[in-house]
């Protein structure tokens, strides 16, 4: 069996998205800035896509800027909010410890430029406390940025409440909704969002395409200078085929969202139940407030990397930590933030199931993980010490 269970890293493009993009590669390849009709047809396609994308998140078309993906949208949102703040003498930013590196590294850069950043802790189950946000807001706070859903442990943050709080205090609120858009309901009006980042390849669109929503009146700064595309907010010839495919993928995902989320949640809970039977293991993140596709576990006495390789041999593509952190020896900042000690954090496994996952596949994954964990523990000197009582079990 071949099972792709790493949908938080990227997703397979949908047939709908591929079909939608092909005409803009093969025939309608004109430049949207060109005045002849051949170019104008490309421009019309981009504007239709903008309307569709806007509708999917409750925004207005003019509030959508197309970008090269989630990272660019995060960078532009944070740098724009910082520039707005600086003009008013406000240089304090609030975020949290489990954000994606596209946010955390941009915050580091802003710190070097003199901004003061408060990184809030999260609870043991990986959730930001709204009261903590409230207490952290100061007179000079210019931005609160908290993700909608976490890419590693799948936890859902109380963004509607945080957004409402920010509105009340007159502070801009940005959310990295890359893992949420197309998977769970997101509405920029109801959720009180001023800026939002999303990425096509996380909802069955193509890689290298995404968008930034910025509420009317929020002045965006450019990351890229050049032509007047995207109303002067993002220079560069539009990725027409990518934008069209993204809107098709998003419209389809949103249309099927309720049904998909319901079905995946059942499979997710079955997977969680099955893996919980492994001794000295623990679920990472919150059992209820989590994405329908996300399962993340720590197993004591295991190396995450070895676990991945053996699962790969059995046809299962999974992840340990996040794609961005694997390859480095540091354990995931997210797992450390929810209180996992280094050794335990190293033994993590993230399974993010696809929209077409079946019960049979879940059974196969449970059996495979049980087998592989048992095998690796059999070789592990760390596990031997734990079992003999020489060292103490943590989980
Ligand atoms: C994938 C991801 C990003 C980065 O998006 P790209 O389109 O790959 O640049 C940012 N934030 C989160 C939460 C993500 O999961």
């Amino acid at each position: 069996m071949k099972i792709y269970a790493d949908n938080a890293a990227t997703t397979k493009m949908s047939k709908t998205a591929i079909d939608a993009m092909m005409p803009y590669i093969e025939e309608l390849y004109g430049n949207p800035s060109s005045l002849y009709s051949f170019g104008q047809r490309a421009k019309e396609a981009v504007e239709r896509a903008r309307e569709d994308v806007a509708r999917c998140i409750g925004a207005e078309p003019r509030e959508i800027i197309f970008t090269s993906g989630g990272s660019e949208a995060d960078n532009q949102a944070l740098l724009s909010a910082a520039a707005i703040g600086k003009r008013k003498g406000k240089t304090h930013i609030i975020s949290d410890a489990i954000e994606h590196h596209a946010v955390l590294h941009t915050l580091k850069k802003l710190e070097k430029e003199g901004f003061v950043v408060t990184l809030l802790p999260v609870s043991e189950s990986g959730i930001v406390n709204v009261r903590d946000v409230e207490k952290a807001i100061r007179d000079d706070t210019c931005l609160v940025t908290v993700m909608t859903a976490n890419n590693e442990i799948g936890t859902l943050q109380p963004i509607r409440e945080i957004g409402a709080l920010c509105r009340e205090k007159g502070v801009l609120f940005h959310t990295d909704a890359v893992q949420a858009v197309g998977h769970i309901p997101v509405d920029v009006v109801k959720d009180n969002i001023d800026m939002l980042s999303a990425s096509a390849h996380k909802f069955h669109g193509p890689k290298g395409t995404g968008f930034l929503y910025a509420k009317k009146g929020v002045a965006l700064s450019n990351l890229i200078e050049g032509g007047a595309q995207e109303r002067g907010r993002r220079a560069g010839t539009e990725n027409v085929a990518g934008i069209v495919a993204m809107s098709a993928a998003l419209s389809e995902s949103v249309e099927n969202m309720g049904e998909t989320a319901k079905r995946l949640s059942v499979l997710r809970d079955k997977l969680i139940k099955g893996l919980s039977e492994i001794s000295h293991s623990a679920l990472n993140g919150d059992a209820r407030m989590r994405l329908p596709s996300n399962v993340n576990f720590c197993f004591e006495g295991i190396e995450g990397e070895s676990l991945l390789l053996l699962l790969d041999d059995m046809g299962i593509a999974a992840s340990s930590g996040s794609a961005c952190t694997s390859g480095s020896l540091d354990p995931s900042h997210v797992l450390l933030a929810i209180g996992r000690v280094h050794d335990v954090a190293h033994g993590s496994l993230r399974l993010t199931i696809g929209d077409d996952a079946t019960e049979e596949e879940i059974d196969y994954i449970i059996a495979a993980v049980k087998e592989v964990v048992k095998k690796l523990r059999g070789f592990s000197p760390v596990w031997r010490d734990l079992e003999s009582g020489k060292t103490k079990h943590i989980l």
Side-chain angles (χ1 to χ4, degrees), residues 69-71 74 100 147 151 176 178-179 199 201-202:
S71 299
D74 281 340
H100 190 272
M147 68 203 320
N151 47 304
D176 174 338
V178 173
Q179 291 288 335
S199 175
H201 76 101
K202 303 289 175 74

Side-chain angles (χ1 to χ4, degrees), residues 28-232:
L28 298 166
Y29 51 81
N31 188 322
S33 300
S34 302
L35 288 178
Y36 40 76
S37 59
F38 189 53
Q40 287 307 297
R41 286 187 65 188
K43 186 173 175 60
E44 281 158 26
V46 170
E47 294 317 314
R48 265 198 310 276
R50 199 185 307 280
E51 285 167 21
D52 289 344
V53 165
R55 185 174 29 78
C56 287
I57 60 162
E60 288 175 28
R62 50 175 288 153
E63 297 174 317
I64 304 295
I65 297 286
F66 293 123
T67 67
S68 68
S71 299
E72 184 185 330
D74 281 340
N75 275 254
Q76 189 169 12
L78 269 54
L79 296 177
S80 299
I84 295 167
K86 198 162 189 177
R87 289 196 286 271
K88 298 179 182 163
K90 295 184 174 188
T91 53
H92 177 238
I93 298 173
I94 299 168
S95 189
D96 63 86
I98 65 170
E99 291 294 309
H100 190 272
H101 284 135
V103 167
L104 291 177
H105 291 173
T106 306
L107 291 175
K108 276 267 168 278
K109 177 161 137 177
L110 286 169
E111 273 183 323
K112 287 198 191 108
E113 290 173 14
F115 285 83
V116 177
V117 176
T118 300
L119 276 193
L120 299 173
V122 292
S123 67
E124 273 179 26
S125 67
I127 295 180
V128 175
N129 186 334
V130 185
R131 287 281 299 137
D132 288 347
V133 180
E134 187 170 14
K135 277 185 268 174
I137 293 178
R138 325 192 304 208
D139 289 341
D140 64 343
T141 304
C142 60
L143 172 71
V144 171
T145 175
V146 173
M147 68 203 320
T148 309
N150 183 268
N151 47 304
E152 292 189 38
I153 57 174
T155 43
L156 308 180
Q157 303 301 338
I159 56 156
R160 186 170 293 184
E161 291 77 9
I162 295 172
L165 180 67
C166 291
R167 280 282 148 85
E168 187 191 312
K169 305 269 185 186
V171 176
L172 281 178
F173 175 50
H174 166 258
T175 187
D176 174 338
V178 173
Q179 291 288 335
V181 168
H183 300 281
I184 57 168
V186 177
D187 184 305
V188 294
V189 175
K190 286 188 195 142
D191 294 335
N192 309 302
I193 299 165
D194 295 315
M195 286 189 277
L196 170 148
S197 309
S199 175
H201 76 101
K202 303 289 175 74
F203 52 75
H204 306 287
K207 293 167 186 60
T209 311
F211 66 89
L212 170 62
Y213 152 82
K215 190 177 154 69
K216 254 190 318 275
V218 175
L220 292 179
S221 315
N222 297 30
L223 296 186
I224 301 171
E225 300 298 340
Q229 292 93 350
E230 299 297 299
R231 299 169 55 244

Side-chain angles (χ1 to χ4, degrees), residues 209-362:
T209 311
F211 66 89
L212 170 62
Y213 152 82
K215 190 177 154 69
K216 254 190 318 275
V218 175
L220 292 179
S221 315
N222 297 30
L223 296 186
I224 301 171
E225 300 298 340
Q229 292 93 350
E230 299 297 299
R231 299 169 55 244
R233 300 290 181 244
R234 204 278 187 180
T237 302
E238 298 86 340
N239 176 2
V240 180
I243 289 167
V244 168
M246 168 163 68
S247 80
L250 183 56
S251 300
E252 185 179 46
S253 294
V254 167
E255 201 172 303
N256 302 328
M257 184 184 284
E259 189 254 319
T260 308
K262 210 164 135 190
R263 196 166 40 77
L264 288 190
S265 302
V266 173
L267 294 176
R268 173 198 67 194
D269 292 342
K270 182 181 165 84
L271 185 50
I272 290 175
K273 188 160 174 281
L275 297 184
S276 304
E277 288 164 9
I278 296 173
S279 70
H280 305 287
S281 69
L283 176 70
N284 294 314
D286 196 90
R288 284 184 319 111
M289 294 299 287
R290 76 188 300 134
L291 288 168
S293 57
N294 178 290
V295 173
N296 191 317
F297 265 83
C298 277
F299 304 107
E300 242 184 320
I302 294 280
E303 264 301 328
E305 308 272 292
S306 320
L307 186 59
L308 292 192
L309 292 176
L310 292 185
L311 287 177
D312 189 24
D313 285 344
M314 299 179 80
I316 300 170
S319 158
S320 181
S322 72
C324 317
T325 38
S326 64
S328 88
L329 282 175
D330 294 334
S332 138
H333 66 287
V334 176
L335 296 177
L336 294 180
I338 61 170
R340 299 287 180 225
V341 298
H342 274 61
D343 282 354
V344 171
H346 273 302
S348 79
L349 174 68
R350 179 184 74 181
L351 295 157
T352 43
I353 57 178
D355 292 353
D356 51 1
T358 64
E359 202 159 342
E360 193 191 358
E361 288 175 343
I362 300 298

